[in-house]
Amino acid sequence: MSRHLLFIDGAWRESSRTHTIKSPYSGRIVAVAEEADEALMERALSAAKAAQTRFRKTSRYLRSRLLAAMARRIDEERAKFVTSIVDEAGKPAALADAEVSRAITTFIVGAEEAKRYGGEVFPVDIDAAGRAYEPGTSLFVPRGPVLAITPFNFPLNLVAHKVVPALAIGAPVLIKPAPQTPGAVRLLAEVFEAAANEVSESRETIPLAALQTINAPNEVTGRAIRDPRVAVVSFTGSASVGWSIQGMARGKRSVLELGGNAAVLVHGGADLVRAAARVAYGAFAYAGQVCISVQNVWVEESVEEAFRGFLLEEVARIKTGDPRGEGVLVGPVIDGKAADRITAWIDEAQKAGANVLCGGKREGNLLQPTVLDRPGEALAIVREEVFGPVLNLLTYRDVGEAIEAVNRSKYGLQAGVFTDSLRVARRTVEDLEVGGVMINEVPTYRADHMPYGGVKESGLGREGVRYAMEEYSERKTVISYRG
């Protein structure tokens, strides 16, 4: 059984408080995690502030080397990361391994971006008064320490998406992982410590307080959110918690990656076989516990019957069960509370007249992939974020009708469109109120270097290494008089 110590102010520390972590699949205890108390949180905040000036003055060369060394060491420790993710998050092993690979990519991208990130030069002499000045410079400088609050579903790569931009620009980062999945963060802190010691030189060193882990209960985390020494709060999680955090983080930069009920539009001329295969994967991989999992599929009436047949064939091939099992795509949801909610929403939809085309069964925290036929838009299972292995099949006659239905949602993260029509593709790009439109792909697609984020209740700001670096930075303008 693992024990997750806290990495604070360059040292591994115990606390007076701990909590146990159980496998979502088997219920066995897999780890014990230390929880930061008020005293340890104060130490972490003080250390981050003290490291701020020193870290931002380190060279891009050294920060790039740090990130590259971390990428290499994550790969060397791949098996440990995969085991932690499978045991604590219940993520199927193949998907956990893919997450580790994506995290490595995120660190490699950060190592390259650290070299290029600087600012821009702009002309000043555009009028008579400006002729006396040299061209101006706009520099990016780190705002200050970043508090990264991360979710359970990607306990390594979504952490990387907050850690990498901070380290790349020279901003200390404090990581508050989800209480269910702190193991990957503990391993990442070990990787950081080893990499920082590896790349530091006599002339220039990485301060070990540049990365700290602060597993903490909500009341202690709230203190960090409000503390003036924290300059940026970056949160990924539910909309209700995210907007609450923004209110607590008054005066700071808030980057919020929140929920969604991702929609797919299937147009009549689309490749229905490919669309069905991608929709099934996008809806049910990791039991749908991804904020851009496919949830609501709007299919043109003329092809609905054919598409439904292809979709159900694909779903029937999905393997469900022990996340350690070979070929398993759907493991458990994170806990009993989540399973109870999802089951209640399915029951509510059935009572309201929706047909269960497949699935709907539960064993412990394991829910079978479920496809609902024509649930009403007012139902929670359509309106809210399911975050579980449920797909809603709906129909439309005109693409404008489908776009309006998607836009009625309070969420707007990403959407997918399957079509052979350039006109339809252009219209969805122009009219869908979302942060990203995937053409002939499901909204579950994300490249780790692309700008990623939503509108409306789905968030504020953008992630993707370069774009998060900008969120964590201030522009400083420099003007020089020629004399």
Side-chain angles (χ1 to χ4, degrees):
M1 183 173 64
S2 299
R3 189 174 186 88
H4 303 322
L5 300 179
L6 302 169
F7 189 66
I8 293 176
D9 197 10
W12 294 96
R13 304 184 189 278
E14 296 182 350
S15 176
S16 59
R17 310 167 64 162
T18 64
H19 73 270
T20 57
I21 299 159
K22 296 182 178 180
S23 161
Y25 179 72
S26 68
R28 67 185 176 91
I29 296 175
V30 295
V32 174
E34 305 288 334
E35 289 188 350
D37 55 20
E38 292 284 352
L40 284 170
M41 181 64 78
E42 171 58 30
R43 181 155 193 169
L45 292 167
S46 296
K49 188 64 178 178
Q52 177 181 343
T53 300
R54 181 179 160 200
F55 189 38
R56 71 176 173 82
K57 290 184 177 181
T58 55
S59 65
R60 290 170 176 79
Y61 166 78
L62 189 65
R63 297 198 298 270
S64 177
R65 286 189 65 209
L66 170 69
L67 292 165
M70 291 181 72
R72 187 190 75 249
R73 288 178 178 273
I74 291 170
D75 197 21
E76 291 170 353
E77 301 294 338
R78 176 184 292 267
K80 291 181 181 178
F81 279 104
V82 170
T83 297
S84 175
I85 294 168
V86 172
D87 284 350
E88 296 184 3
K91 180 172 286 189
L95 298 181
D97 187 73
E99 179 179 349
V100 175
S101 294
R102 287 185 59 187
I104 292 167
T105 296
T106 303
F107 274 88
I108 291 171
V109 170
E112 294 301 314
E113 291 290 356
K115 299 174 185 177
R116 295 190 285 264
Y117 191 68
E120 61 184 1
V121 176
F122 58 90
V124 178
D125 59 346
I126 64 170
D127 60 15
R131 290 180 296 182
Y133 298 92
E134 299 285 353
T137 304
S138 178
L139 303 175
F140 288 117
V141 297
R143 295 175 181 272
V146 176
L147 173 61
I149 305 175
T150 59
F152 74 82
N153 59 332
F154 284 84
L156 177 59
N157 196 40
L158 288 187
V159 172
H161 271 286
K162 301 179 188 306
V163 166
V164 169
L167 297 182
I169 66 172
V173 58
L174 303 98
I175 312 167
K176 192 278 180 192
Q180 304 97 323
T181 56
V185 166
R186 190 261 298 171
L187 292 169
L188 186 64
E190 291 178 0
V191 162
F192 165 77
E193 181 184 27
N197 288 329
E198 173 191 333
V199 304
S200 291
E201 306 168 347
S202 58
R203 69 172 70 182
E204 191 178 23
T205 61
I206 299 291
L208 290 182
L211 184 148
Q212 301 180 84
T213 63
I214 50 168
N215 316 335
N218 291 341
E219 63 272 16
V220 177
T221 303
R223 176 190 168 182
I225 294 169
R226 291 185 289 266
D227 194 285
R229 289 167 290 190
V230 169
V232 179
V233 178
S234 182
F235 170 82
T236 299
S238 71
S240 59
V241 175
W243 296 117
S244 174
I245 285 174
Q246 188 198 31
M248 296 167 64
R250 181 179 178 183
K252 309 175 191 295
R253 170 72 80 178
S254 297
V255 183
L256 306 176
E257 298 298 332
L258 309 179
N261 55 0
V264 170
L265 276 60
V266 179
H267 187 237
D271 180 343
L272 299 182
V273 173
R274 181 177 183 276
R278 295 301 296 152
V279 164
Y281 182 88
F284 299 120
Y286 186 34
Q289 295 175 118
V290 182
C291 52
I292 41 179
S293 285
V294 176
Q295 181 171 324
N296 299 322
V297 182
W298 293 88
V299 186
E300 190 171 1
E301 283 186 351
S302 61
V303 296
E304 189 273 335
E305 184 175 354
F307 177 79
R308 180 175 56 187
F310 293 135
L311 176 66
L312 294 178
E313 287 177 7
E314 291 290 339
V315 176
R317 285 193 281 268
I318 292 174
K319 189 172 181 180
T320 302
D322 187 338
R324 296 170 297 180
E326 184 176 352
V328 169
L329 185 68
V330 178
V333 295
I334 192 63
D335 56 28
K337 182 179 179 182
D340 289 344
R341 174 185 55 78
I342 296 164
T343 302
W345 284 4
I346 293 172
D347 291 344
E348 179 188 40
Q350 285 186 276
K351 290 175 182 177
N355 294 319
V356 176
L357 298 179
C358 65
K361 298 179 181 178
R362 172 185 175 185
E363 183 178 346
N365 293 337
L366 195 67
L367 281 73
Q368 294 296 322
T370 300
V371 178
L372 293 176
D373 188 31
R374 295 179 178 84
E377 278 189 67
L379 291 169
I381 208 160
V382 176
R383 187 182 72 251
E384 301 295 338
E385 181 179 34
V386 175
F387 220 65
V390 177
L391 184 154
N392 299 309
L393 200 57
L394 305 133
T395 61
Y396 71 90
R397 294 181 181 177
D398 175 78
V399 70
E401 174 189 340
I403 291 170
E404 288 177 4
V406 174
N407 289 346
R408 283 195 289 271
S409 172
K410 64 183 177 181
Y411 295 112
L413 191 44
Q414 291 194 160
V417 180
F418 288 88
T419 182
D420 65 348
S421 166
L422 183 59
R423 178 188 62 82
V424 170
R426 285 176 173 169
R427 184 173 180 186
T428 56
V429 169
E430 290 176 357
D431 294 347
L432 283 172
E433 296 170 358
V434 293
V437 179
M438 308 295 116
I439 304 298
N440 290 317
E441 186 52 279
V442 289
T444 322
Y445 178 80
R446 178 183 180 184
D448 291 293
H449 62 285
M450 79 184 201
Y452 172 79
V455 299
K456 300 192 285 189
E457 289 291 303
S458 287
L460 187 68
R462 290 295 180 268
E463 286 195 341
V465 178
R466 167 75 187 204
Y467 307 95
M469 289 166 72
E470 293 179 6
E471 297 282 359
Y472 297 175
S473 300
E474 292 276 14
R475 283 183 179 264
K476 180 180 287 188
T477 300
V478 180
I479 302 292
S480 299
Y481 181 63
R482 283 177 179 167

